[in-house]
Each structure stands twice: as C-alpha cells, then as structure tokens.
Amino acid sequence: MRKKMFTGRPLVLVSHLEVYPTSSSHLLLLNQAAHQWLLPLVYHSLLFTSSHKLVKFHAAHDVPEERMRERLKLVRNLWIGAVSSNPKRRLDGDLTYPRPLPVTVITRLVLMCESLERLTLLNVDQNDWGEVEAAIPANLRSLSMGPIHGPFRIAKGSQLQQFTSINSFMRDDEVRGLVMHQTMNSFRRLSEAIDSDTLAKYAAEQVECVSDSATLKEYNIAICLRPGSLFDAHPLIDQVENELRKASLDSRAFVSTIPDRYWSDVVHDEYLSVRLAMFGALCILSSWKFKLILPQILKLEIHETRSLGIWQDGRDGQSSSGHSGQKPV
C-alpha cells in the first residue's frame, strides 16, 4: 500500500474547508483520527440544489447503521432549494418550482437533523407544505421559506426566533400567530421591488397586531432593489411606508430597502455567514485543542487505496484510486 505523509497543520485544514466547502470529501480521506475530528466541520452546514444529490445523501444516512444516522445530529445549518434566476450565485439545480420536489425525502431528512438550528427551504409547493411543516423540529431557531409558501402555523412548543417569508402572501391569522408567539423576535417579509408588487403593501396593512406583542423585536418589510433594474422603486417604498403608518405607529414595524440585491442574495449571504461564523468560533475558542492534537495531526497519512468518505452507503469506501467516487454536496 502506497502512503503519503500529511505534513500540514490543523488550522490549514480548517481554512481549506472554510474557503472550499465542496472539498470536504477529499479531506475525509485522511485517517480515522482526522476523519472524526473533521466531521463536525463538514456536517455543520449543508446546501442542496440538486434532487439527485439530496436523495443520494439521504439514502446514505437513513440506514440501520447508527454511525451514519448519528452524523445528522451534527447538522446546524441546512439549505434546500435552487434559484436559477440569479446569475451571480451558483444556486442552479432542479430543486425549483414548478418541478416536483422529493417532499418525502426532504421531510425525512429534516426530521433526522434533530439539532438543526437554521433552515432555508425554497420552492416547496403549497399543496406539499403541510407534510414538510410537520417535520420542522421544535428546537429550530431560524426559518426562511418561499417563494409563495403554503400556510404557516407555528407550533405551540416551537422555539422559533426568526422567520422570513419570501415573496409570499400570508393570512392575517398566520401573521398574528407568528407575531404573538412567545419566542419570536424577528419577523421579516422579504420581496423584490417590481412594477406589479402588491405583496409589500399588503404586508404593511397587517402590522396592527405588532403592538399586541410583548416579545417581538421587529416586523421588517424588506424590499430588495434588483441589480441593474430600471424600475424606480421609490414611489412603491413611499406607498408601503404610508400604509404601514396608517396601520400602526409601533416603531418595531418598519420598511427597509436592500440595494443591488436579489432576495436570493440576502438569504444565501445569511446561510454563508452562519457557516463562516462556525469556523471563526472554532479557531478562537478551541485553539487549545489544536495544540493538544497537533502531534497526531502531523503524523496523519493519506491512504491512496482506502476512503473514509461520508456518503458511501453507510460504509467505509474502497477504491484503488484513493477516492470514494462520491461527489461532495
């Protein structure tokens, strides 16, 4: 068996994974010690825009082998959905409306991510939302969903603190349920400024219940101004602000504008910031751990004939080329 000595330092591993998230499978080709050490970094934030990769990932983890299922408890930040309308982002894929999404797989995966804190869920058909809604973990802290999502009824025991509704109309009882929920801090109605936009104006008319909440910190009607758009959004923004102040004088309800951004820019940047914050916290708060394991890390070996990939049907992979043949998420 040919071997290559790994001579890097642990912080180099972390930096590489931070900048190149799709290289996670290759880093897991290191020996068992490094494999276990890197798992929390790899699984912390997962992004799926392809139904093929989503189904394949689920199939590899929803197995009787407890070792694979346990890894999903490491997931804190999950993105499911594609956005083909944004030319600046690599968010293309087939998980987009009106194509049917693998709702059963999505539901099952969300259920298995028991420690999930942040979920971005896009393009789920309104008729399928009820099935997915039942899988939302009670300990979830932040949820962004849309465009045109189904009716959202927050569960009684939910610990949700932040909710973003993207390009979606909501009933008055849905809005009130979210505003009055005991743990809700931030409720955002996110849309883009277009000539036919009535969503933001309608959202402004629903702010009356904000004054009844003792815990809500903000009701934010956020309007994105598309890059390069020739549409003059200022009259629209003025109308929305006027409607809002007619309905409520509560300062927690306000209109904000986000220049030169698509809505997908906003939510994707937030997904990335959570992921990058994890790396920053790891390097600062756990630097002493790197010193403790440094002698072991410096002796790690990369085996060209044995893979420890994470999506190998629940087993350690075998490959003569040193790669599992699995593509990273």
Side-chain angles (χ1 to χ4, degrees), residues 42-43 45-48 50-63 68 71-72 75 78 105 109 112-113 310-314 326-329:
V42 174
Y43 279 87
S45 296
L46 301 177
L47 185 148
F48 297 95
S50 160
S51 59
H52 172 73
K53 291 183 179 180
L54 177 65
V55 170
K56 191 173 183 180
F57 179 87
H58 167 259
H61 290 79
D62 196 358
V63 293
M68 296 300 293
R71 293 180 182 180
L72 292 183
V75 180
L78 179 62
V105 170
L109 182 60
M112 295 173 69
C113 296
I310 61 176
W311 306 303
Q312 191 74 24
D313 299 326
Q326 305 294 340
K327 295 181 179 179
V329 176

PDB file of all heavy atoms in Angstrom, residues 42-43 45-48 50-63 68 71-72 75 78 105 109 112-113 310-314 326-329:
ATOM      1  N   VAL A  42     -17.665  19.400   8.540  1.00  0.00           N
ATOM      2  CA  VAL A  42     -18.277  19.044   7.265  1.00  0.00           C
ATOM      3  C   VAL A  42     -19.799  19.085   7.349  1.00  0.00           C
ATOM      4  O   VAL A  42     -20.481  19.559   6.440  1.00  0.00           O
ATOM      5  CB  VAL A  42     -17.809  17.646   6.814  1.00  0.00           C
ATOM      6  CG1 VAL A  42     -18.553  17.190   5.572  1.00  0.00           C
ATOM      7  CG2 VAL A  42     -16.307  17.654   6.554  1.00  0.00           C
ATOM      8  N   TYR A  43     -20.342  18.614   8.464  1.00  0.00           N
ATOM      9  CA  TYR A  43     -21.789  18.475   8.583  1.00  0.00           C
ATOM     10  C   TYR A  43     -22.489  19.718   9.131  1.00  0.00           C
ATOM     11  O   TYR A  43     -23.721  19.794   9.084  1.00  0.00           O
ATOM     12  CB  TYR A  43     -22.131  17.280   9.478  1.00  0.00           C
ATOM     13  CG  TYR A  43     -22.077  15.954   8.764  1.00  0.00           C
ATOM     14  CD1 TYR A  43     -20.892  15.244   8.654  1.00  0.00           C
ATOM     15  CD2 TYR A  43     -23.217  15.411   8.184  1.00  0.00           C
ATOM     16  CE1 TYR A  43     -20.833  14.028   8.000  1.00  0.00           C
ATOM     17  CE2 TYR A  43     -23.174  14.199   7.522  1.00  0.00           C
ATOM     18  CZ  TYR A  43     -21.980  13.512   7.432  1.00  0.00           C
ATOM     19  OH  TYR A  43     -21.930  12.302   6.775  1.00  0.00           O
ATOM     20  N   SER A  45     -22.933  22.785   8.119  1.00  0.00           N
ATOM     21  CA  SER A  45     -23.752  23.493   7.135  1.00  0.00           C
ATOM     22  C   SER A  45     -23.814  22.690   5.839  1.00  0.00           C
ATOM     23  O   SER A  45     -22.781  22.374   5.255  1.00  0.00           O
ATOM     24  CB  SER A  45     -23.166  24.883   6.847  1.00  0.00           C
ATOM     25  OG  SER A  45     -23.196  25.693   8.003  1.00  0.00           O
ATOM     26  N   LEU A  46     -25.021  22.375   5.394  1.00  0.00           N
ATOM     27  CA  LEU A  46     -25.229  21.596   4.177  1.00  0.00           C
ATOM     28  C   LEU A  46     -26.143  22.365   3.236  1.00  0.00           C
ATOM     29  O   LEU A  46     -27.147  22.945   3.663  1.00  0.00           O
ATOM     30  CB  LEU A  46     -25.859  20.239   4.500  1.00  0.00           C
ATOM     31  CG  LEU A  46     -25.079  19.315   5.444  1.00  0.00           C
ATOM     32  CD1 LEU A  46     -25.879  18.045   5.706  1.00  0.00           C
ATOM     33  CD2 LEU A  46     -23.713  18.965   4.868  1.00  0.00           C
ATOM     34  N   LEU A  47     -25.795  22.341   1.948  1.00  0.00           N
ATOM     35  CA  LEU A  47     -26.579  23.044   0.937  1.00  0.00           C
ATOM     36  C   LEU A  47     -26.887  22.097  -0.210  1.00  0.00           C
ATOM     37  O   LEU A  47     -25.974  21.475  -0.768  1.00  0.00           O
ATOM     38  CB  LEU A  47     -25.812  24.270   0.434  1.00  0.00           C
ATOM     39  CG  LEU A  47     -26.527  25.187  -0.552  1.00  0.00           C
ATOM     40  CD1 LEU A  47     -26.071  26.629  -0.357  1.00  0.00           C
ATOM     41  CD2 LEU A  47     -26.278  24.770  -2.003  1.00  0.00           C
ATOM     42  N   PHE A  48     -28.166  21.984  -0.569  1.00  0.00           N
ATOM     43  CA  PHE A  48     -28.607  21.110  -1.657  1.00  0.00           C
ATOM     44  C   PHE A  48     -29.419  21.917  -2.662  1.00  0.00           C
ATOM     45  O   PHE A  48     -30.415  22.540  -2.303  1.00  0.00           O
ATOM     46  CB  PHE A  48     -29.469  19.958  -1.130  1.00  0.00           C
ATOM     47  CG  PHE A  48     -28.755  19.025  -0.195  1.00  0.00           C
ATOM     48  CD1 PHE A  48     -28.848  19.201   1.184  1.00  0.00           C
ATOM     49  CD2 PHE A  48     -27.977  17.982  -0.680  1.00  0.00           C
ATOM     50  CE1 PHE A  48     -28.199  18.341   2.055  1.00  0.00           C
ATOM     51  CE2 PHE A  48     -27.318  17.119   0.186  1.00  0.00           C
ATOM     52  CZ  PHE A  48     -27.432  17.303   1.559  1.00  0.00           C
ATOM     53  N   SER A  50     -29.692  20.215  -5.863  1.00  0.00           N
ATOM     54  CA  SER A  50     -29.943  19.118  -6.802  1.00  0.00           C
ATOM     55  C   SER A  50     -30.712  18.000  -6.108  1.00  0.00           C
ATOM     56  O   SER A  50     -30.318  17.554  -5.023  1.00  0.00           O
ATOM     57  CB  SER A  50     -28.620  18.578  -7.342  1.00  0.00           C
ATOM     58  OG  SER A  50     -28.760  17.275  -7.873  1.00  0.00           O
ATOM     59  N   SER A  51     -31.789  17.544  -6.715  1.00  0.00           N
ATOM     60  CA  SER A  51     -32.573  16.452  -6.133  1.00  0.00           C
ATOM     61  C   SER A  51     -31.765  15.157  -6.108  1.00  0.00           C
ATOM     62  O   SER A  51     -31.897  14.347  -5.187  1.00  0.00           O
ATOM     63  CB  SER A  51     -33.865  16.250  -6.923  1.00  0.00           C
ATOM     64  OG  SER A  51     -33.591  15.940  -8.285  1.00  0.00           O
ATOM     65  N   HIS A  52     -30.907  14.958  -7.115  1.00  0.00           N
ATOM     66  CA  HIS A  52     -30.087  13.747  -7.161  1.00  0.00           C
ATOM     67  C   HIS A  52     -29.170  13.672  -5.951  1.00  0.00           C
ATOM     68  O   HIS A  52     -29.079  12.637  -5.283  1.00  0.00           O
ATOM     69  CB  HIS A  52     -29.261  13.724  -8.448  1.00  0.00           C
ATOM     70  CG  HIS A  52     -28.246  12.629  -8.502  1.00  0.00           C
ATOM     71  ND1 HIS A  52     -28.583  11.295  -8.688  1.00  0.00           N
ATOM     72  CD2 HIS A  52     -26.882  12.652  -8.370  1.00  0.00           C
ATOM     73  CE1 HIS A  52     -27.493  10.561  -8.674  1.00  0.00           C
ATOM     74  NE2 HIS A  52     -26.451  11.360  -8.485  1.00  0.00           N
ATOM     75  N   LYS A  53     -28.481  14.765  -5.639  1.00  0.00           N
ATOM     76  CA  LYS A  53     -27.565  14.776  -4.505  1.00  0.00           C
ATOM     77  C   LYS A  53     -28.320  14.690  -3.181  1.00  0.00           C
ATOM     78  O   LYS A  53     -27.868  14.052  -2.228  1.00  0.00           O
ATOM     79  CB  LYS A  53     -26.698  16.028  -4.538  1.00  0.00           C
ATOM     80  CG  LYS A  53     -25.693  16.027  -5.682  1.00  0.00           C
ATOM     81  CD  LYS A  53     -24.804  17.260  -5.646  1.00  0.00           C
ATOM     82  CE  LYS A  53     -23.781  17.227  -6.776  1.00  0.00           C
ATOM     83  NZ  LYS A  53     -22.906  18.418  -6.775  1.00  0.00           N
ATOM     84  N   LEU A  54     -29.477  15.331  -3.129  1.00  0.00           N
ATOM     85  CA  LEU A  54     -30.283  15.284  -1.910  1.00  0.00           C
ATOM     86  C   LEU A  54     -30.757  13.860  -1.618  1.00  0.00           C
ATOM     87  O   LEU A  54     -30.628  13.362  -0.499  1.00  0.00           O
ATOM     88  CB  LEU A  54     -31.484  16.217  -2.056  1.00  0.00           C
ATOM     89  CG  LEU A  54     -32.471  16.236  -0.886  1.00  0.00           C
ATOM     90  CD1 LEU A  54     -31.806  16.786   0.365  1.00  0.00           C
ATOM     91  CD2 LEU A  54     -33.706  17.062  -1.253  1.00  0.00           C
ATOM     92  N   VAL A  55     -31.285  13.201  -2.643  1.00  0.00           N
ATOM     93  CA  VAL A  55     -31.779  11.830  -2.481  1.00  0.00           C
ATOM     94  C   VAL A  55     -30.627  10.890  -2.143  1.00  0.00           C
ATOM     95  O   VAL A  55     -30.760  10.001  -1.285  1.00  0.00           O
ATOM     96  CB  VAL A  55     -32.507  11.373  -3.766  1.00  0.00           C
ATOM     97  CG1 VAL A  55     -32.821   9.879  -3.706  1.00  0.00           C
ATOM     98  CG2 VAL A  55     -33.785  12.176  -3.948  1.00  0.00           C
ATOM     99  N   LYS A  56     -29.499  11.076  -2.796  1.00  0.00           N
ATOM    100  CA  LYS A  56     -28.333  10.223  -2.559  1.00  0.00           C
ATOM    101  C   LYS A  56     -27.799  10.401  -1.135  1.00  0.00           C
ATOM    102  O   LYS A  56     -27.449   9.416  -0.455  1.00  0.00           O
ATOM    103  CB  LYS A  56     -27.243  10.558  -3.578  1.00  0.00           C
ATOM    104  CG  LYS A  56     -26.086   9.572  -3.617  1.00  0.00           C
ATOM    105  CD  LYS A  56     -25.155   9.913  -4.771  1.00  0.00           C
ATOM    106  CE  LYS A  56     -24.023   8.902  -4.885  1.00  0.00           C
ATOM    107  NZ  LYS A  56     -23.128   9.223  -6.006  1.00  0.00           N
ATOM    108  N   PHE A  57     -27.746  11.638  -0.683  1.00  0.00           N
ATOM    109  CA  PHE A  57     -27.277  11.924   0.675  1.00  0.00           C
ATOM    110  C   PHE A  57     -28.213  11.296   1.703  1.00  0.00           C
ATOM    111  O   PHE A  57     -27.780  10.668   2.679  1.00  0.00           O
ATOM    112  CB  PHE A  57     -27.198  13.427   0.879  1.00  0.00           C
ATOM    113  CG  PHE A  57     -26.737  13.846   2.249  1.00  0.00           C
ATOM    114  CD1 PHE A  57     -25.388  13.972   2.527  1.00  0.00           C
ATOM    115  CD2 PHE A  57     -27.650  14.123   3.252  1.00  0.00           C
ATOM    116  CE1 PHE A  57     -24.951  14.343   3.781  1.00  0.00           C
ATOM    117  CE2 PHE A  57     -27.237  14.509   4.504  1.00  0.00           C
ATOM    118  CZ  PHE A  57     -25.874  14.623   4.774  1.00  0.00           C
ATOM    119  N   HIS A  58     -29.510  11.452   1.486  1.00  0.00           N
ATOM    120  CA  HIS A  58     -30.486  10.870   2.413  1.00  0.00           C
ATOM    121  C   HIS A  58     -30.376   9.352   2.455  1.00  0.00           C
ATOM    122  O   HIS A  58     -30.408   8.733   3.525  1.00  0.00           O
ATOM    123  CB  HIS A  58     -31.900  11.291   2.002  1.00  0.00           C
ATOM    124  CG  HIS A  58     -32.976  10.515   2.690  1.00  0.00           C
ATOM    125  ND1 HIS A  58     -33.652   9.477   2.076  1.00  0.00           N
ATOM    126  CD2 HIS A  58     -33.469  10.588   3.955  1.00  0.00           C
ATOM    127  CE1 HIS A  58     -34.532   8.974   2.923  1.00  0.00           C
ATOM    128  NE2 HIS A  58     -34.438   9.622   4.065  1.00  0.00           N
ATOM    129  N   ALA A  59     -30.237   8.734   1.286  1.00  0.00           N
ATOM    130  CA  ALA A  59     -30.158   7.272   1.227  1.00  0.00           C
ATOM    131  C   ALA A  59     -28.931   6.739   1.970  1.00  0.00           C
ATOM    132  O   ALA A  59     -28.979   5.657   2.564  1.00  0.00           O
ATOM    133  CB  ALA A  59     -30.120   6.814  -0.230  1.00  0.00           C
ATOM    134  N   ALA A  60     -27.845   7.497   1.965  1.00  0.00           N
ATOM    135  CA  ALA A  60     -26.621   7.063   2.636  1.00  0.00           C
ATOM    136  C   ALA A  60     -26.717   7.170   4.152  1.00  0.00           C
ATOM    137  O   ALA A  60     -25.980   6.497   4.870  1.00  0.00           O
ATOM    138  CB  ALA A  60     -25.430   7.881   2.137  1.00  0.00           C
ATOM    139  N   HIS A  61     -27.635   8.008   4.636  1.00  0.00           N
ATOM    140  CA  HIS A  61     -27.710   8.245   6.081  1.00  0.00           C
ATOM    141  C   HIS A  61     -28.945   7.629   6.737  1.00  0.00           C
ATOM    142  O   HIS A  61     -28.921   7.339   7.937  1.00  0.00           O
ATOM    143  CB  HIS A  61     -27.698   9.752   6.359  1.00  0.00           C
ATOM    144  CG  HIS A  61     -26.379  10.399   6.065  1.00  0.00           C
ATOM    145  ND1 HIS A  61     -25.974  10.717   4.785  1.00  0.00           N
ATOM    146  CD2 HIS A  61     -25.368  10.772   6.885  1.00  0.00           C
ATOM    147  CE1 HIS A  61     -24.773  11.263   4.831  1.00  0.00           C
ATOM    148  NE2 HIS A  61     -24.382  11.316   6.081  1.00  0.00           N
ATOM    149  N   ASP A  62     -30.003   7.449   5.986  1.00  0.00           N
ATOM    150  CA  ASP A  62     -31.215   6.842   6.558  1.00  0.00           C
ATOM    151  C   ASP A  62     -31.103   5.328   6.450  1.00  0.00           C
ATOM    152  O   ASP A  62     -31.799   4.672   5.682  1.00  0.00           O
ATOM    153  CB  ASP A  62     -32.447   7.352   5.814  1.00  0.00           C
ATOM    154  CG  ASP A  62     -33.725   7.073   6.598  1.00  0.00           C
ATOM    155  OD1 ASP A  62     -33.644   6.466   7.683  1.00  0.00           O
ATOM    156  OD2 ASP A  62     -34.810   7.467   6.126  1.00  0.00           O
ATOM    157  N   VAL A  63     -30.189   4.776   7.235  1.00  0.00           N
ATOM    158  CA  VAL A  63     -29.871   3.351   7.213  1.00  0.00           C
ATOM    159  C   VAL A  63     -29.872   2.817   8.647  1.00  0.00           C
ATOM    160  O   VAL A  63     -29.799   3.587   9.609  1.00  0.00           O
ATOM    161  CB  VAL A  63     -28.481   3.110   6.570  1.00  0.00           C
ATOM    162  CG1 VAL A  63     -28.507   3.469   5.090  1.00  0.00           C
ATOM    163  CG2 VAL A  63     -27.403   3.907   7.293  1.00  0.00           C
ATOM    164  N   MET A  68     -23.990   6.257  10.853  1.00  0.00           N
ATOM    165  CA  MET A  68     -24.326   7.205   9.803  1.00  0.00           C
ATOM    166  C   MET A  68     -25.453   8.135  10.230  1.00  0.00           C
ATOM    167  O   MET A  68     -25.415   9.349   9.975  1.00  0.00           O
ATOM    168  CB  MET A  68     -24.722   6.453   8.526  1.00  0.00           C
ATOM    169  CG  MET A  68     -23.593   5.634   7.917  1.00  0.00           C
ATOM    170  SD  MET A  68     -22.149   6.638   7.460  1.00  0.00           S
ATOM    171  CE  MET A  68     -22.810   7.614   6.119  1.00  0.00           C
ATOM    172  N   ARG A  71     -24.510  11.116  12.499  1.00  0.00           N
ATOM    173  CA  ARG A  71     -23.828  12.254  11.896  1.00  0.00           C
ATOM    174  C   ARG A  71     -24.796  13.396  11.594  1.00  0.00           C
ATOM    175  O   ARG A  71     -24.404  14.563  11.602  1.00  0.00           O
ATOM    176  CB  ARG A  71     -23.116  11.820  10.614  1.00  0.00           C
ATOM    177  CG  ARG A  71     -21.964  10.870  10.864  1.00  0.00           C
ATOM    178  CD  ARG A  71     -21.296  10.466   9.565  1.00  0.00           C
ATOM    179  NE  ARG A  71     -20.221   9.513   9.803  1.00  0.00           N
ATOM    180  CZ  ARG A  71     -19.466   8.997   8.851  1.00  0.00           C
ATOM    181  NH1 ARG A  71     -19.676   9.337   7.588  1.00  0.00           N
ATOM    182  NH2 ARG A  71     -18.509   8.133   9.147  1.00  0.00           N
ATOM    183  N   LEU A  72     -26.055  13.079  11.327  1.00  0.00           N
ATOM    184  CA  LEU A  72     -27.018  14.126  11.025  1.00  0.00           C
ATOM    185  C   LEU A  72     -27.325  14.988  12.244  1.00  0.00           C
ATOM    186  O   LEU A  72     -27.863  16.087  12.106  1.00  0.00           O
ATOM    187  CB  LEU A  72     -28.305  13.515  10.473  1.00  0.00           C
ATOM    188  CG  LEU A  72     -28.178  12.867   9.091  1.00  0.00           C
ATOM    189  CD1 LEU A  72     -29.515  12.369   8.602  1.00  0.00           C
ATOM    190  CD2 LEU A  72     -27.578  13.847   8.077  1.00  0.00           C
ATOM    191  N   VAL A  75     -25.685  18.460  12.105  1.00  0.00           N
ATOM    192  CA  VAL A  75     -26.159  19.495  11.183  1.00  0.00           C
ATOM    193  C   VAL A  75     -26.838  20.618  11.965  1.00  0.00           C
ATOM    194  O   VAL A  75     -27.751  20.380  12.744  1.00  0.00           O
ATOM    195  CB  VAL A  75     -27.143  18.912  10.151  1.00  0.00           C
ATOM    196  CG1 VAL A  75     -27.618  20.005   9.193  1.00  0.00           C
ATOM    197  CG2 VAL A  75     -26.497  17.769   9.379  1.00  0.00           C
ATOM    198  N   LEU A  78     -29.047  24.233   7.398  1.00  0.00           N
ATOM    199  CA  LEU A  78     -29.450  23.431   6.244  1.00  0.00           C
ATOM    200  C   LEU A  78     -30.166  24.294   5.204  1.00  0.00           C
ATOM    201  O   LEU A  78     -31.074  25.060   5.535  1.00  0.00           O
ATOM    202  CB  LEU A  78     -30.374  22.295   6.696  1.00  0.00           C
ATOM    203  CG  LEU A  78     -30.924  21.354   5.623  1.00  0.00           C
ATOM    204  CD1 LEU A  78     -29.803  20.602   4.904  1.00  0.00           C
ATOM    205  CD2 LEU A  78     -31.918  20.368   6.237  1.00  0.00           C
ATOM    206  N   VAL A 105     -38.459  12.771   0.955  1.00  0.00           N
ATOM    207  CA  VAL A 105     -37.038  12.778   1.321  1.00  0.00           C
ATOM    208  C   VAL A 105     -36.713  14.022   2.149  1.00  0.00           C
ATOM    209  O   VAL A 105     -36.010  13.938   3.160  1.00  0.00           O
ATOM    210  CB  VAL A 105     -36.155  12.725   0.056  1.00  0.00           C
ATOM    211  CG1 VAL A 105     -34.690  12.978   0.405  1.00  0.00           C
ATOM    212  CG2 VAL A 105     -36.300  11.373  -0.629  1.00  0.00           C
ATOM    213  N   LEU A 109     -35.377  13.895   5.964  1.00  0.00           N
ATOM    214  CA  LEU A 109     -34.066  14.453   6.279  1.00  0.00           C
ATOM    215  C   LEU A 109     -34.172  15.509   7.379  1.00  0.00           C
ATOM    216  O   LEU A 109     -33.365  15.528   8.319  1.00  0.00           O
ATOM    217  CB  LEU A 109     -33.438  15.056   5.025  1.00  0.00           C
ATOM    218  CG  LEU A 109     -32.035  15.644   5.185  1.00  0.00           C
ATOM    219  CD1 LEU A 109     -31.057  14.571   5.653  1.00  0.00           C
ATOM    220  CD2 LEU A 109     -31.553  16.263   3.873  1.00  0.00           C
ATOM    221  N   MET A 112     -34.572  13.942  10.716  1.00  0.00           N
ATOM    222  CA  MET A 112     -33.369  13.291  11.231  1.00  0.00           C
ATOM    223  C   MET A 112     -32.333  14.296  11.735  1.00  0.00           C
ATOM    224  O   MET A 112     -31.461  13.927  12.523  1.00  0.00           O
ATOM    225  CB  MET A 112     -32.760  12.404  10.148  1.00  0.00           C
ATOM    226  CG  MET A 112     -33.642  11.228   9.753  1.00  0.00           C
ATOM    227  SD  MET A 112     -32.979  10.319   8.334  1.00  0.00           S
ATOM    228  CE  MET A 112     -31.523   9.572   9.068  1.00  0.00           C
ATOM    229  N   CYS A 113     -32.434  15.537  11.285  1.00  0.00           N
ATOM    230  CA  CYS A 113     -31.499  16.572  11.754  1.00  0.00           C
ATOM    231  C   CYS A 113     -32.026  17.150  13.064  1.00  0.00           C
ATOM    232  O   CYS A 113     -32.539  18.274  13.124  1.00  0.00           O
ATOM    233  CB  CYS A 113     -31.329  17.664  10.701  1.00  0.00           C
ATOM    234  SG  CYS A 113     -30.580  17.101   9.155  1.00  0.00           S
ATOM    235  N   ILE A 310     -18.067  10.153   3.384  1.00  0.00           N
ATOM    236  CA  ILE A 310     -19.239  10.167   4.241  1.00  0.00           C
ATOM    237  C   ILE A 310     -20.508   9.721   3.529  1.00  0.00           C
ATOM    238  O   ILE A 310     -21.527   9.553   4.159  1.00  0.00           O
ATOM    239  CB  ILE A 310     -19.471  11.578   4.808  1.00  0.00           C
ATOM    240  CG1 ILE A 310     -19.698  12.573   3.684  1.00  0.00           C
ATOM    241  CG2 ILE A 310     -18.326  11.998   5.675  1.00  0.00           C
ATOM    242  CD1 ILE A 310     -20.026  13.973   4.173  1.00  0.00           C
ATOM    243  N   TRP A 311     -20.499   9.531   2.219  1.00  0.00           N
ATOM    244  CA  TRP A 311     -21.719   9.170   1.501  1.00  0.00           C
ATOM    245  C   TRP A 311     -21.565   7.835   0.770  1.00  0.00           C
ATOM    246  O   TRP A 311     -22.044   7.641  -0.316  1.00  0.00           O
ATOM    247  CB  TRP A 311     -22.100  10.276   0.519  1.00  0.00           C
ATOM    248  CG  TRP A 311     -22.192  11.583   1.211  1.00  0.00           C
ATOM    249  CD1 TRP A 311     -22.985  11.883   2.288  1.00  0.00           C
ATOM    250  CD2 TRP A 311     -21.453  12.758   0.921  1.00  0.00           C
ATOM    251  NE1 TRP A 311     -22.794  13.172   2.673  1.00  0.00           N
ATOM    252  CE2 TRP A 311     -21.864  13.748   1.859  1.00  0.00           C
ATOM    253  CE3 TRP A 311     -20.503  13.100  -0.024  1.00  0.00           C
ATOM    254  CZ2 TRP A 311     -21.355  15.041   1.861  1.00  0.00           C
ATOM    255  CZ3 TRP A 311     -20.001  14.382  -0.016  1.00  0.00           C
ATOM    256  CH2 TRP A 311     -20.421  15.332   0.917  1.00  0.00           C
ATOM    257  N   GLN A 312     -20.840   6.905   1.418  1.00  0.00           N
ATOM    258  CA  GLN A 312     -20.539   5.625   0.780  1.00  0.00           C
ATOM    259  C   GLN A 312     -21.493   4.553   1.295  1.00  0.00           C
ATOM    260  O   GLN A 312     -21.104   3.555   1.838  1.00  0.00           O
ATOM    261  CB  GLN A 312     -19.082   5.226   1.071  1.00  0.00           C
ATOM    262  CG  GLN A 312     -18.575   4.044   0.246  1.00  0.00           C
ATOM    263  CD  GLN A 312     -18.299   4.422  -1.171  1.00  0.00           C
ATOM    264  OE1 GLN A 312     -18.053   5.563  -1.457  1.00  0.00           O
ATOM    265  NE2 GLN A 312     -18.333   3.476  -2.078  1.00  0.00           N
ATOM    266  N   ASP A 313     -22.796   4.795   1.144  1.00  0.00           N
ATOM    267  CA  ASP A 313     -23.806   3.822   1.546  1.00  0.00           C
ATOM    268  C   ASP A 313     -23.627   3.349   2.975  1.00  0.00           C
ATOM    269  O   ASP A 313     -23.888   2.190   3.294  1.00  0.00           O
ATOM    270  CB  ASP A 313     -23.787   2.603   0.606  1.00  0.00           C
ATOM    271  CG  ASP A 313     -24.100   3.001  -0.826  1.00  0.00           C
ATOM    272  OD1 ASP A 313     -24.902   3.922  -1.013  1.00  0.00           O
ATOM    273  OD2 ASP A 313     -23.538   2.388  -1.730  1.00  0.00           O
ATOM    274  N   GLY A 314     -23.169   4.256   3.834  1.00  0.00           N
ATOM    275  CA  GLY A 314     -23.062   3.930   5.243  1.00  0.00           C
ATOM    276  C   GLY A 314     -21.854   3.111   5.608  1.00  0.00           C
ATOM    277  O   GLY A 314     -21.714   2.661   6.734  1.00  0.00           O
ATOM    278  N   GLN A 326     -17.657   9.418  -4.740  1.00  0.00           N
ATOM    279  CA  GLN A 326     -18.794  10.230  -4.382  1.00  0.00           C
ATOM    280  C   GLN A 326     -18.460  11.691  -4.553  1.00  0.00           C
ATOM    281  O   GLN A 326     -17.381  12.139  -4.204  1.00  0.00           O
ATOM    282  CB  GLN A 326     -19.200   9.953  -2.920  1.00  0.00           C
ATOM    283  CG  GLN A 326     -19.455   8.482  -2.634  1.00  0.00           C
ATOM    284  CD  GLN A 326     -20.660   7.975  -3.379  1.00  0.00           C
ATOM    285  OE1 GLN A 326     -21.499   8.758  -3.803  1.00  0.00           O
ATOM    286  NE2 GLN A 326     -20.769   6.681  -3.549  1.00  0.00           N
ATOM    287  N   LYS A 327     -19.391  12.436  -5.080  1.00  0.00           N
ATOM    288  CA  LYS A 327     -19.178  13.868  -5.236  1.00  0.00           C
ATOM    289  C   LYS A 327     -19.667  14.568  -3.996  1.00  0.00           C
ATOM    290  O   LYS A 327     -20.660  14.182  -3.409  1.00  0.00           O
ATOM    291  CB  LYS A 327     -19.952  14.382  -6.466  1.00  0.00           C
ATOM    292  CG  LYS A 327     -19.443  13.793  -7.766  1.00  0.00           C
ATOM    293  CD  LYS A 327     -20.228  14.372  -8.928  1.00  0.00           C
ATOM    294  CE  LYS A 327     -19.711  13.793 -10.246  1.00  0.00           C
ATOM    295  NZ  LYS A 327     -20.483  14.326 -11.397  1.00  0.00           N
ATOM    296  N   PRO A 328     -18.979  15.646  -3.572  1.00  0.00           N
ATOM    297  CA  PRO A 328     -19.427  16.388  -2.412  1.00  0.00           C
ATOM    298  C   PRO A 328     -20.717  17.110  -2.690  1.00  0.00           C
ATOM    299  O   PRO A 328     -21.087  17.349  -3.835  1.00  0.00           O
ATOM    300  CB  PRO A 328     -18.279  17.377  -2.150  1.00  0.00           C
ATOM    301  CG  PRO A 328     -17.616  17.525  -3.470  1.00  0.00           C
ATOM    302  CD  PRO A 328     -17.750  16.208  -4.157  1.00  0.00           C
ATOM    303  N   VAL A 329     -21.397  17.488  -1.606  1.00  0.00           N
ATOM    304  CA  VAL A 329     -22.665  18.197  -1.766  1.00  0.00           C
ATOM    305  C   VAL A 329     -22.430  19.531  -2.438  1.00  0.00           C
ATOM    306  O   VAL A 329     -21.485  20.229  -2.089  1.00  0.00           O
ATOM    307  CB  VAL A 329     -23.290  18.438  -0.372  1.00  0.00           C
ATOM    308  CG1 VAL A 329     -24.561  19.271  -0.509  1.00  0.00           C
ATOM    309  CG2 VAL A 329     -23.587  17.121   0.286  1.00  0.00           C
TER     310      VAL A 329
END
